Amino acid sequence: MTWKPRLADGTAPVLVVLVVLLVALAFAGPAYSEPAGYLALLKRAAPLVILAIGQYFVVVSGGFDLSVGSLVTAEVVIAARLISGDDGNTWWVIAVLLGFGVLVGLVNGLITTKLLVPSFIVTLGMLLVLDGAVFLWTGGAPRGALSPSFRVFGRGAVDVPVLGAVPWSVLILLAVLVGAVLFMRGGTGRTLIAVGDNENAVRLAGGRVHRLRLLAFVLSGVLAALAAILLAGFAGVSAQVGQGLEFRAITAVVLGGVLLGGGRGSVVAAAAGALSLEALFSLLNLVGVSGALESAVQGVIIIAAVAYAAHGAGLRRAFKRRAAPALP
């Protein structure tokens, strides 16, 4: 039997879009005439791609995580306050940040699964809680400073044979993507998709639906913490550093063809959607389009992608009805 690519998960269309955008960047700006320009694009996009991978786990299992943008902001503010410019504090603070990401994911997941509160409401509430806590703690002006050893993950690079200097953020992104792909190819990852498609069937088959959804939220929280570490190193400390990132992550996942409501989608497509979004914004900037239109562009992408998915689903249902044998 010959293997055929699955087009239903949306991987092929978003890859075509990504290739077109990368080619357009080569014509729009001289910086992209060499591989270094594209490495710089990957470096900028790495936090968003990692955030989108975390969002993918939640969306494909049938939920939403609107708290990741505020979590990123909280992580950056906490890091600056605890490190206070001291290199000796870097590693234990990184452990604290990852632990805080796990904690937020656990709270989101437990309230969603145990109290049966819709994930949209739970994570919206968490967004507000984190925003309020950050403002209360900082007064709108974060204190402290990040250490040089902390910022190296977002700004530094390592020499790789043939490729030359490759940013640490790109290497971390590749490691996360490979890990996510391997996870989704395993039994737990496939069951996670099945939960989003038909949780009753998974439950009847002996699957632990609540544990799987809880795992999805924890993974989202951990990857949001990792994205915050890279973003802080790249952009520095700000009380607005994560503002709007939750919507960008959802836009990237939708652009990647992941079905809102769960049950269908590829983690590679979600990552490609995030990279496409970053490439699109870079292209718009190069041709002189105002950055104020980014929100409008994201809105158009979400509406168009969801409409396309709904239309495709309707066509598939109609085809199945026509192909079904008539009852005697």
Side-chain angles (χ1 to χ4, degrees), residues 10-324:
T11 305
V14 73
L15 289 179
V16 171
V17 170
L18 178 58
V19 170
V20 170
L21 288 171
L22 293 179
V23 171
L25 282 172
F27 286 99
Y32 295 95
S33 60
E34 298 179 358
Y38 291 103
L39 276 178
L41 174 65
L42 277 174
K43 180 180 178 180
R44 292 195 307 273
L48 177 60
V49 177
I50 291 174
L51 209 60
I53 292 172
Q55 189 72 237
Y56 163 82
F57 292 128
V58 178
V59 171
V60 83
S61 64
F64 287 96
D65 191 350
L66 297 179
S67 66
V68 292
S70 295
L71 178 55
V72 166
T73 299
E75 296 272 7
V76 173
V77 169
I78 291 170
R81 188 70 173 269
L82 295 181
I83 292 175
S84 193
D86 186 353
D87 273 327
N89 295 331
T90 296
W91 289 105
W92 71 264
V93 170
I94 287 176
V96 168
L97 298 180
L98 295 175
F100 186 64
V102 170
L103 177 61
V104 172
L106 278 173
V107 172
N108 286 336
L110 288 172
I111 295 176
T112 300
T113 57
K114 299 300 183 182
L115 300 182
L116 303 180
V117 181
S119 61
F120 183 90
I121 300 299
V122 175
T123 56
L124 178 60
M126 182 61 74
L127 178 154
L128 297 174
V129 168
L130 291 172
D131 275 350
V134 167
F135 184 80
L136 182 64
W137 195 28
T138 65
R143 302 174 186 175
L146 301 173
S147 62
S149 59
F150 185 93
R151 300 202 69 172
V152 73
F153 296 108
R155 287 190 169 187
V158 59
D159 287 328
V160 176
V162 180
L163 296 177
V166 177
W168 274 111
S169 55
V170 174
L171 296 177
I172 293 171
L173 167 60
L174 291 176
V176 170
L177 181 58
V178 170
V181 169
L182 294 177
F183 172 77
M184 293 308 298
R185 287 184 176 179
T188 303
R190 294 185 181 188
T191 309
L192 193 66
I193 296 178
V195 167
D197 186 38
N198 191 333
E199 68 173 80
N200 290 327
V202 174
R203 189 176 286 110
L204 290 172
R208 298 179 175 180
V209 173
H210 287 176
R211 288 193 179 184
L212 287 167
R213 284 197 166 137
L214 179 61
L215 175 62
F217 279 105
V218 170
L219 289 173
S220 178
V222 170
L223 291 182
L226 183 58
I229 292 170
L230 299 184
L231 190 59
F234 179 76
V237 182
S238 168
Q240 291 81 37
V241 67
Q243 187 174 9
L245 282 179
E246 62 278 351
F247 297 113
R248 282 200 178 192
I250 292 174
T251 304
V253 168
V254 171
L255 182 59
V258 181
L259 186 64
L260 292 180
R264 196 188 78 207
S266 159
V267 67
V268 172
L275 185 55
S276 298
L277 198 61
E278 191 66 36
L280 174 61
F281 291 148
S282 297
L283 180 62
L284 292 176
N285 183 57
L286 284 173
V287 298
V289 176
S290 172
L293 291 177
E294 288 186 4
S295 294
V297 171
Q298 291 180 72
V300 170
I301 289 173
I302 289 178
I303 294 171
V306 172
Y308 173 78
H311 180 66
L315 289 178
R316 286 192 295 273
R317 285 194 297 269
F319 178 77
K320 287 180 179 179
R321 285 196 297 267
R322 294 180 61 184

